[in-house]
Amino acid sequence: MNNNIDTTTEKLEDNELHAIRREKLQALKLSGNDPYYQTKFVRNSDSKELKEKFDFLNGKTVRIAGRVMSKRIMGKAAFSHILDDFGQVQLYFKSDILGESYEAYKKLDIGDIIGASGRVFLTQKGEISVEIAEFVLLAKSLLPLPEKWHGLTDNDLRYRQRYVDLIANPEVKQSFVVRSKIIKAVRNCLDKRGFVEVETPILSTIAGGAAARPFTTHHNTLDLSMYLRVAPELYLKRLIIGGFDKVYEIGKMFRNEGMSTRHNPEFTMMEAYSAYDDLYDMMTLTEKIFGAIRKELKVKSIINYQEHQINLKSHFLRMSMSSAVKKYSDIDFLQCSDVSSILLELQNKGLMLDKNTSWGNALYAAFEHFVEHNLIQPTFITDYPIEISPLAKKKLGDDRLTERFELFVAGREMGNAYTELNDPIDQAERFKTQEEMRQRGDEEAQPYDLDFLTALEYGMPPTGGLGIGIDRLVMLFTNSNSIRDVLLFPTMKPIKNNVESLLRN
């Protein structure tokens, strides 16, 4: 089947087609057939039901609606396909049944939206179809759709005009159906374990909870500078202090940072906090969440992602950051506390760092350089240095490290978790260190949050916290290389247009 075939119109430039369609619309309005006058159309079937229940519906009259995707006129009979929420279905139009309405059908354009009723039958070629007894034009398409045989393949245009992408490439829709199912699975997994879903502020006077540069805005009434949140962490921990034992939030975060196939300025995050638990409980919870997603999507334990086969069986690998660095670079950070020697050894292996780099920052830099891209199978990396973990509890026996892990799959970070720091004195000192970093120009350092420290002084139980990026989960389970493929409307630099001139005309 070739879609977008219209034997009544020769190929014209888009602007000519636009003008012709506007003329058709004007003629319809003048004749009293304004398609936009219709307020609703009652349907009782769709393309999915017609296929699944054909034996029952065969010979019965149904009412369906959708977008015209093809048009083949053969004298006094014609075939069209319409696209609805579930796919396409063929419609059969006959002049002796429709009478004068057949001429109205011949004037339809590819992209028009119609409602129709008629008898279900099977064509000689075996295609489920509807013989139309009557139809109505519900919306006129003034712009031509991309030709199906060429499709909408320009990624920049696909992301900018997702609505056209979904029409021209219906398979794209499936990724967003999967996205919805993933969020549902995460939510159900947490709900079943006693977590309470809550909402915390998106606008705040302090952008804390993550090392990230925030977006700044202004509240006119209060004459106050505010920030879009970079993380909900500090508010969720306030709720733990207030007496909630298990809380979580799924929502948008905003970070004013670079863009890449992995990063979008606004993204969706799930964060969960559980009183009396630690990072090892968060590992178990993470594995349970992945299991719940697999069950919801009905996928096996081994999935394909790009060129890799990823094994998502319940127990993921566990490795400390220092042991991972030693494995992939042969540098033993734990056995060497002399930073200058470490920096020299890193330099000899191709990693140049500033001479003032601390031991912990050097460890993390070595991890990013030598290790991260090698972590293909799901792996929990633990024991993060304290310099980059200002909200995590210190590791017992080594104050240089913290009780923190990040989950890596296919060389990408998927989740982040701590045994949360609940010592207000220690937290105040770390905020102070972070504030000094901000004073030196580090825009990603944590701000000093006095209200959160006040809350901590009332006492927070030992707590495990977990954050998982929803967008990267969807990328993994839809085999998508770019985050833009799993966002309906990714952030794009606007195209310069001449709106003022259009308004003047």
Side-chain angles (χ1 to χ4, degrees):
M1 179 188 70
N2 287 326
N3 286 346
N4 269 1
I5 300 175
D6 187 346
T7 58
T8 65
T9 306
E10 294 182 0
K11 183 173 175 59
L12 300 170
E13 294 297 327
D14 284 356
N15 58 345
E16 293 180 87
L17 289 172
H18 191 201
I20 291 172
R21 293 188 181 202
R22 280 182 172 270
E23 290 172 4
K24 287 185 179 181
L25 175 61
Q26 184 64 18
L28 286 167
K29 288 183 175 181
L30 291 174
S31 66
N33 295 306
D34 185 349
Y36 305 122
Y37 181 78
Q38 302 288 333
T39 57
K40 67 179 294 182
F41 182 85
V42 179
R43 299 172 293 172
N44 63 10
S45 192
D46 53 51
S47 61
K48 180 181 179 182
E49 185 179 61
L50 288 175
K51 294 169 185 175
E52 293 180 349
K53 300 181 180 179
F54 172 73
D55 290 342
F56 172 75
L57 293 173
N58 189 16
K60 293 184 170 60
T61 297
V62 296
R63 291 173 60 85
I64 57 177
R67 187 182 298 274
V68 177
M69 299 300 290
S70 71
K71 185 179 169 191
R72 302 193 307 278
I73 298 175
M74 298 167 289
K76 295 183 179 182
F79 287 96
S80 281
H81 284 84
I82 62 169
L83 175 70
D84 64 16
D85 196 30
F86 301 102
Q88 294 196 21
V89 63
Q90 180 169 266
L91 308 186
Y92 179 46
F93 297 81
K94 292 180 67 178
S95 62
D96 59 349
I97 295 177
L98 291 169
E100 293 182 1
S101 294
Y102 188 67
E103 292 302 313
Y105 162 76
K106 290 165 68 175
K107 294 178 182 179
L108 291 177
D109 290 307
I110 303 300
D112 288 351
I113 297 173
I114 64 171
S117 64
R119 178 182 63 87
V120 179
F121 74 105
L122 195 68
T123 67
Q124 291 182 349
K125 292 184 177 180
E127 183 170 356
I128 297 171
S129 304
V130 181
E131 183 181 69
I132 302 304
E134 59 179 358
F135 74 94
V136 60
L137 178 60
L138 301 173
K140 184 70 182 168
S141 175
L142 298 179
L143 290 171
L145 298 176
E147 295 176 350
K148 183 64 178 179
W149 54 83
H150 174 67
L152 186 61
T153 57
D154 182 321
N155 280 339
D156 187 78
L157 187 58
R158 286 182 55 230
Y159 301 143
R160 290 182 187 280
Q161 297 185 338
R162 182 67 82 184
Y163 41 90
V164 182
D165 183 32
L166 292 168
I167 298 168
N169 305 308
E171 68 278 1
V172 169
K173 186 177 180 180
Q174 186 58 30
S175 293
F176 299 102
V177 173
V178 170
R179 181 187 180 96
S180 178
K181 290 181 177 180
I182 287 173
I183 294 173
K184 175 184 176 182
V186 172
R187 185 173 272 120
N188 287 345
C189 180
L190 293 169
D191 290 346
K192 287 178 182 178
R193 285 162 176 77
F195 285 83
V196 177
E197 184 173 11
V198 298
E199 295 176 300
T200 62
I202 290 176
L203 285 174
S204 179
T205 55
I206 294 178
R213 182 181 179 182
F215 285 94
T216 306
T217 187
H218 189 80
H219 192 296
N220 291 335
T221 301
L222 298 177
D223 190 22
L224 186 67
S225 292
M226 301 191 77
Y227 304 95
L228 298 180
R229 67 180 177 189
V230 296
E233 176 169 342
L234 300 185
Y235 281 106
L236 292 174
K237 289 199 282 195
R238 283 170 169 89
L239 297 179
I240 295 292
I241 293 166
F244 283 89
D245 274 1
K246 295 177 182 291
V247 294
Y248 76 95
E249 182 171 11
I250 299 175
K252 289 284 190 181
M253 309 300 146
F254 308 86
R255 299 183 184 179
N256 198 355
E257 301 168 337
M259 297 171 63
S260 72
T261 55
R262 304 184 191 185
H263 301 91
N264 193 67
E266 60 173 294
F267 59 97
T268 304
M269 177 76 75
M270 184 287 295
E271 288 206 15
Y273 292 82
S274 182
Y276 310 106
D277 285 341
D278 63 9
L279 83 162
Y280 298 104
D281 297 297
M282 295 301 102
M283 288 182 185
T284 300
L285 180 60
T286 302
E287 293 169 342
K288 294 294 184 184
I289 287 173
F290 271 79
I293 293 171
R294 284 177 42 217
K295 183 177 180 180
E296 177 67 28
L297 300 182
K298 298 180 174 60
V299 298
K300 297 180 179 179
S301 59
I302 297 179
I303 65 171
N304 293 319
Y305 183 74
Q306 304 300 293
E307 70 274 22
H308 305 296
Q309 284 195 320
I310 307 298
N311 190 333
L312 296 176
K313 286 184 180 178
S314 57
H315 296 296
F316 299 163
L317 298 172
R318 303 183 182 190
M319 190 183 307
S320 70
M321 182 175 287
S322 57
S323 61
V325 169
K326 183 178 179 180
K327 177 179 179 179
Y328 289 101
S329 73
D330 203 31
I331 299 176
D332 192 341
F333 271 75
L334 292 185
Q335 296 302 314
C336 184
S337 57
D338 180 36
V339 180
S340 58
S341 298
I342 289 176
L343 294 178
L344 180 59
E345 195 167 354
L346 290 172
Q347 179 179 330
N348 291 336
K349 293 182 179 292
L351 178 59
M352 296 287 295
L353 298 176
D354 185 271
K355 64 179 180 179
N356 295 317
T357 302
S358 68
W359 180 89
N361 281 318
L363 172 59
Y364 185 60
F367 170 76
E368 287 189 309
H369 184 80
F370 297 109
V371 181
E372 193 169 315
H373 61 278
N374 289 302
L375 301 177
I376 305 304
Q377 299 306 319
T379 305
F380 293 119
I381 296 295
T382 64
D383 299 353
Y384 273 61
I386 195 170
E387 291 95 325
I388 61 167
S389 311
L391 300 170
K393 183 170 286 193
K394 292 177 183 177
K395 180 179 174 63
L396 290 175
D398 194 335
D399 286 352
R400 298 173 298 178
L401 305 174
T402 60
E403 291 206 2
R404 172 186 177 185
F405 77 72
E406 285 187 317
L407 171 65
F408 289 85
V409 183
R412 299 179 175 186
E413 184 254 315
M414 301 287 291
N416 187 20
Y418 314 146
T419 301
E420 303 295 336
L421 176 57
N422 62 343
D423 179 347
I425 308 303
D426 188 358
Q427 186 65 82
E429 287 299 315
R430 298 210 215 167
F431 275 159
K432 182 179 178 181
T433 300
Q434 291 286 307
E435 190 61 40
E436 290 170 352
M437 293 166 60
R438 287 170 61 84
Q439 299 288 333
R440 294 194 297 268
D442 186 347
E443 295 180 282
E444 295 188 354
Q446 295 275 334
Y448 198 101
D449 192 332
L450 184 58
D451 183 72
F452 176 67
L453 287 173
T454 301
L456 269 185
E457 290 191 340
Y458 281 97
M460 184 175 83
T463 298
L466 169 67
I468 295 179
I470 297 295
D471 306 309
R472 293 189 182 179
L473 272 180
V474 180
M475 289 172 65
L476 178 66
F477 282 97
T478 59
N479 196 12
S480 300
N481 183 56
S482 173
I483 192 172
R484 292 184 175 187
D485 290 327
V486 300
L487 299 175
L488 279 169
F489 301 103
T491 303
M492 304 288 289
K493 187 176 181 179
I495 297 175
K496 190 174 182 180
N497 54 45
N498 200 354
V499 175
E500 291 183 3
S501 130
L502 289 171
L503 291 174
R504 283 196 301 270
N505 294 330

